[in-house]
Amino acid sequence: MPADLLSQALQFVKGVGPRRAADLHRAGLLTVEDLLLRFPLRYEDRARLTPVAGLRPGMTATVVGEVLSSGIRPTRRPGFRLFEVAVRDASGAVRAVFPNQSFLKDVFHPQQQVVLFGPLDYRGSGLQFTNPEYEIVRGDADDPDDGHVHTGRIVPIYEKVGSMTPRMQRSLMHQLMALLPEDLADPVPSSVRQALALPTRRDAILHTHFPDMGVSVEALNAFRTEAQRRLIFEEFFLFQAGMVLRKRQQAQYLKARPVVVDDRIRAAARTVLPFKLTDGQKVALREIVTDMQRAAPMHRLLQGDVGAGKTIVALLAALVAMENGFQVAFMAPTEILADQHYMTIRRLLEPSRFRVASLTGSLTAAKKRATLAEIASGTTHMVVGTHALVEGAVAFRDLGLVVIDEQHRFGVVQRATLRGKGLHPDVLVMTATPIPRTLALTAFGDLDSSVIRELPPGRQPIRTVAKPDSRRDEIYRLVRAELERGRQAYVIYPLVEESEKVDLRAATEMAQTLQNDVFPEYRVALLHGKMKSDEKDQVMGAFARGDIHVLAATTVVEVGVDVANATIMVVEHAERFGLSQLHQLRGRVGRGAHASTCVLVYQAPLTDQGHARIDALVETSDGFVIAERDLEIRGPGDFFGTRQSGLPTLRVGDLVRDHVLMEEARREAVAWLDGTTEAQPLVDYLSANWAQRFGLVAVG
Ligand code: ADP
Ligand code: MG
């Protein structure tokens, strides 16, 4: 073994070889360190011994004894052979059978001392173990494990990897434990380790894989032992240190010039403001503008519940930038949303001298050329569009602020692109829905964050009801009642990617049924993502004007759409949507002065998860509460849906289970980096290991 055991490629480890190494490789395990930093799936207590006389059917037990006899027993089924061992202790004898494992005839021999572990059952002739875990404790010079690796202790159970059985992995791990150097390097700084009374890395690895007797198996299986927590902390600490370092590195860039804010600018902002800001909006705006006045570019996340009023905050920030002679790019994830923003913004900016343009795919080539020229010359001050805005060849004269709306992880790529172009504007990322704190700390660990907690005053609460599909008449009565009051309705139909075609047909048919059979005296229209953008615009425009009464739509209305007169939303197949998505959808109603209703229509029977989601929505309309629930129900991987999430690949930590540790790791990383002059070794470790440990290559 070379000096650096941990970075050694697994194929060169004794007993691994090319084939197993390839299997491990496929599971993302390349080096010894990768194996050491991988938790067992679970642990089993095989330490408590039961005398043979005390064995009962149904029990899972460990016995130690001497091999009386062993051999292959033919069976009546052709080609099927049983290997059988009889083991005796002072109280009696028991049999163990191993179907089709003739090779064991070279493993077991009479007089060996062996341990068996497994469930017992009763077969005609007596009690037996079937396929137990076994171990030759003494008397087998060829077994390198030398006893008490697989039995007679608390044993780790690893997930099978290709041809590597849990048992093989256990043997391998045991062999690696013996090779761990006494002075194993530790990436967690010793001062941090001491302050938190964490075990050394070496001890933590040893005790995670081969726990001492007496450690609670429950604690092990909950991944709550000191050793396990130390390894989880390490993972989180390194990740957070990386985030903080990245953030500090970004702070070294200089933007073109900081903005200044004076009374003239404040007055200008007031002229476009259509209402009083809520306290939360004021605080967020102050935080944003403070960043903008700094020499380093802003990288801020603005979180707020659906309808919290993030747009106006961003627009006021944009106004400050424009008053300072900067251009602003305002980006939305979809064209519908971009158009909607464009409309709102143009209206709000009317009293100002600033010119805003829209740049979306639906422009004619000539119009697009003209718009691009105006952006390049600076006669257009603000441009609204999709992400193509900064990704494409759009040249700005003096880009000062980029606002990225309604997208969780959108910002990362765009920030990188901008930097690639040598631009360091202020960047404000706005999320579509609240994100649980731990996830925000992880996916956006390199951003500063502002949160708007409250909704603007006068909002009517949204009544949410869940109804099975079978009560359709009742559902339509609710819709009709709103239409009769002059209100409008959304009927949302899910599109599941895998069955998009079928679903789209279903949505189309539903729109027809609604028009022809259910609401013949009202106007119903269909909106879906496969429509051309000018068609979409037309439909959305007509709905916004009130010319369409019922908008049957796939989830394209999910984000941002704002029609205050729409007061009822029916969500078909609510069981198919994620919790955050449903919350987001529901936020399309309750936008005006009228009381609103959201009807979640589900197909019975519901799964437990489906139940949990629908219950959560009926119970609360607080997006922050819903986000936490969603994370619990779905887990972090799914929280962000299919979009690039920006979440690191974690090996031992779990963002739900270990969220407290993540916050602790963040605090410690910030404090340590603030106080130390010796960050270099950690920086070096992170640069060398970042991609392999966290799977995110230099994003943001
Ligand atoms: P979101 O945070 O979901 O993007 P929006 O910015 O679209 O929310 O705002 C939702 C609605 O609330 C808009 O119609 C907006 O004009 C309105 N609004 C925002 N802030 C206030 C406020 N302080 N007072 C009254 N209405 C507001
Ligand atoms: Mg919005």
Side-chain angles (χ1 to χ4, degrees):
M1 280 290 157
D4 192 1
L5 170 71
L6 269 58
S7 60
Q8 166 124 80
L10 284 169
Q11 82 187 84
F12 303 120
V13 172
K14 183 167 157 255
V16 178
R19 167 144 176 257
R20 289 177 182 172
D23 284 345
L24 293 166
H25 197 140
R26 267 191 294 280
L29 302 162
L30 308 184
T31 65
V32 169
E33 182 171 49
D34 293 342
L35 269 192
L36 298 180
L37 297 180
R38 169 174 175 262
F39 279 173
L41 272 184
R42 63 191 171 82
Y43 298 81
E44 247 172 42
D45 187 353
R46 300 180 183 172
R48 237 171 313 124
L49 301 180
T50 308
V52 170
L55 297 177
R56 298 287 174 269
M59 234 178 176
T60 295
T62 307
V63 299
V64 181
E66 181 190 325
V67 175
L68 272 180
S69 63
S70 68
I72 295 166
R73 202 180 74 195
T75 65
R76 264 178 242 150
R77 265 167 58 199
F80 185 71
R81 314 178 109 211
L82 273 182
F83 181 79
E84 198 175 281
V85 192
V87 171
R88 172 181 69 184
D89 72 2
S91 70
V94 66
R95 189 160 44 124
V97 298
F98 299 86
N100 279 338
Q101 296 180 52
S102 306
F103 68 91
L104 290 176
K105 68 183 181 329
D106 302 322
V107 174
F108 286 95
H109 304 291
Q111 265 125 56
Q112 280 168 335
Q113 190 77 9
V114 301
V115 186
L116 301 175
F117 167 84
L120 284 140
D121 49 19
Y122 199 80
R123 287 292 154 87
S125 50
L127 265 185
Q128 72 175 38
F129 285 103
T130 305
N131 257 333
E133 287 280 343
Y134 61 88
E135 194 142 42
I136 316 299
V137 182
R138 229 181 324 110
D140 185 351
D142 291 339
D143 190 337
D145 288 345
D146 192 26
H148 298 311
V149 176
H150 308 290
T151 58
R153 63 176 308 143
I154 298 174
V155 298
I157 314 287
Y158 300 97
E159 185 177 7
K160 189 170 188 290
V161 175
S163 60
M164 290 281 278
T165 62
R167 182 184 173 95
M168 289 172 183
Q169 294 182 53
R170 197 180 304 121
S171 295
L172 175 60
M173 293 304 285
H174 195 257
Q175 167 197 331
L176 290 173
M177 293 301 118
L179 299 174
L180 280 183
E182 228 24 87
D183 59 345
L184 183 70
D186 194 334
V188 177
S190 62
S191 63
V192 174
R193 217 163 56 222
Q194 273 157 23
L196 300 181
L198 299 174
T200 64
R201 191 178 208 216
R202 180 175 191 276
D203 282 350
I205 290 173
L206 283 171
H207 291 116
T208 290
H209 294 284
F210 292 93
D212 283 344
M213 296 284 228
V215 174
S216 145
V217 178
E218 285 69 43
L220 282 164
N221 281 322
F223 302 94
R224 277 278 163 279
T225 66
E226 265 199 356
Q228 292 165 321
R229 287 172 60 83
R230 138 78 216 214
L231 293 183
I232 297 167
F233 178 84
E234 170 184 318
E235 178 165 71
F236 288 176
F237 179 83
L238 294 175
F239 180 74
Q240 289 297 349
M243 283 290 124
V244 175
L245 286 166
R246 178 178 297 172
K247 195 168 150 190
R248 294 190 180 180
Q249 191 188 352
Q250 287 168 354
Q252 291 169 355
Y253 295 118
L254 289 186
K255 53 195 180 199
R257 56 191 187 276
V259 307
V260 293
V261 180
D262 55 24
D263 287 343
R264 185 184 59 81
I265 291 177
R266 284 189 199 96
R270 269 194 297 275
T271 59
V272 308
L273 194 59
F275 32 62
K276 265 184 68 188
L277 292 183
T278 63
D279 288 343
Q281 286 173 317
K282 280 186 203 156
V283 172
L285 182 62
R286 201 174 308 134
E287 288 168 347
I288 292 164
V289 173
T290 303
D291 282 356
M292 291 169 70
Q293 291 169 279
R294 297 209 166 98
M298 162 170 77
H299 297 288
R300 187 169 284 276
L301 174 69
L302 177 57
Q303 282 201 70
D305 203 348
V306 181
K310 297 181 286 286
T311 317
I312 189 74
V313 172
L315 184 65
L316 291 171
L319 209 69
V320 170
M322 291 189 291
E323 288 286 355
N324 277 271
F326 281 118
Q327 288 173 298
V328 177
F330 201 113
M331 299 193 288
T334 65
E335 302 225 330
I336 289 188
L337 198 54
D339 289 345
Q340 179 138 13
H341 273 319
Y342 172 64
M343 245 105 82
T344 313
I345 290 169
R346 202 179 47 178
R347 185 164 41 81
L348 288 170
L349 287 185
E350 211 124 77
S352 79
R353 64 196 152 90
F354 298 116
R355 297 192 42 194
V356 47
S358 146
L359 198 65
T360 54
S362 52
L363 291 186
T364 62
K367 181 82 179 97
K368 186 169 177 190
R369 238 185 344 266
T371 306
L372 286 173
E374 282 167 19
I375 298 169
S377 70
T379 46
T380 285
H381 304 99
M382 179 163 177
V383 47
V384 184
T386 60
H387 50 100
L389 263 190
V390 297
E391 282 168 1
V394 186
F396 288 86
R397 187 167 164 274
D398 197 358
L399 180 63
L401 172 67
V402 176
V403 178
I404 301 165
D405 189 28
E406 304 281 10
Q407 188 77 288
H408 285 134
R409 204 47 198 168
F410 211 24
V412 171
V413 180
Q414 280 76 13
R415 282 187 288 149
T417 311
L418 287 168
R419 259 203 307 282
K421 293 181 181 177
L423 295 171
H424 304 291
D426 288 320
V427 176
L428 182 65
V429 178
M430 302 196 283
T431 61
T433 51
I435 300 172
R437 202 183 133 66
T438 330
L439 282 198
L441 209 53
T442 310
F444 299 102
D446 54 343
L447 300 190
D448 294 306
S449 151
S450 295
V451 179
I452 305 176
R453 285 273 163 196
E454 74 270 64
L455 298 181
R459 278 294 156 75
Q460 298 287 333
I462 304 169
R463 186 172 70 104
T464 300
V465 292
K467 302 227 177 263
D469 186 53
S470 54
R471 307 225 320 248
R472 202 152 277 284
D473 288 351
E474 215 175 301
I475 296 161
Y476 291 147
R477 263 203 304 281
L478 288 170
V479 174
R480 180 172 294 279
E482 290 302 307
L483 297 178
E484 282 169 1
R485 286 185 199 118
R487 306 281 93 80
Q488 291 162 280
Y490 293 102
V491 180
I492 307 293
Y493 205 91
L495 277 193
V496 182
E497 240 167 86
E498 310 87 70
S499 56
E500 205 170 337
K501 270 209 186 112
V502 180
D503 285 341
L504 190 53
R505 186 153 13 93
T508 312
E509 277 165 17
M510 184 191 67
Q512 278 162 3
T513 308
L514 288 173
Q515 178 68 86
N516 300 337
D517 307 335
V518 190
F519 303 114
E521 70 277 42
Y522 292 104
R523 274 188 297 281
V524 180
L526 176 68
L527 181 72
H528 62 78
K530 287 277 178 303
M531 284 161 59
K532 290 213 190 69
S533 61
D534 51 340
E535 280 178 303
K536 283 192 242 175
D537 287 353
Q538 234 170 358
V539 172
M540 264 326 294
F543 188 66
R545 285 192 304 276
D547 293 345
I548 289 168
H549 307 107
V550 179
L551 185 67
T554 61
T555 39
V556 286
V557 301
E558 185 184 334
V559 281
V561 172
D562 192 9
V563 177
N565 192 47
T567 52
I568 184 160
M569 168 171 289
V570 176
V571 184
E572 298 282 344
H573 286 291
E575 75 279 358
R576 291 200 201 162
F577 290 101
L579 194 42
S580 293
Q581 205 184 2
L582 285 170
H583 179 63
Q584 193 41 249
L585 277 170
R586 176 171 63 178
R588 300 308 109 207
V589 292
R591 306 208 130 218
H594 309 287
S596 294
T597 309
C598 175
V599 189
L600 304 174
V601 184
Y602 61 87
Q603 211 90 47
L606 283 174
T607 61
D608 287 352
Q609 276 208 7
H611 229 299
R613 286 201 298 265
I614 289 181
D615 283 354
L617 280 154
V618 172
E619 278 162 30
T620 179
S621 54
D622 182 333
F624 287 87
V625 174
I626 284 171
E628 297 287 347
R629 286 268 199 101
D630 197 14
L631 178 59
E632 281 163 28
I633 296 172
R634 287 204 287 179
D638 290 330
F639 182 86
F640 290 117
T642 48
R643 293 173 192 147
Q644 185 199 0
S645 70
L647 287 176
T649 314
L650 294 175
R651 301 173 169 217
V652 291
D654 177 308
L655 291 175
V656 178
R657 183 189 67 205
D658 305 316
H659 64 99
V660 178
L661 263 186
M662 182 62 98
E663 302 211 7
E664 193 170 337
R666 173 69 169 207
R667 274 196 307 277
E668 291 299 326
V670 171
W672 185 75
L673 286 167
D674 275 344
T676 188
T677 50
E678 319 241 299
Q680 203 50 46
L682 184 68
V683 173
D684 294 342
Y685 179 87
L686 287 176
S687 339
N689 293 283
W690 188 263
Q692 177 61 7
R693 284 201 72 147
F694 300 112
L696 286 171
V697 191
V699 287

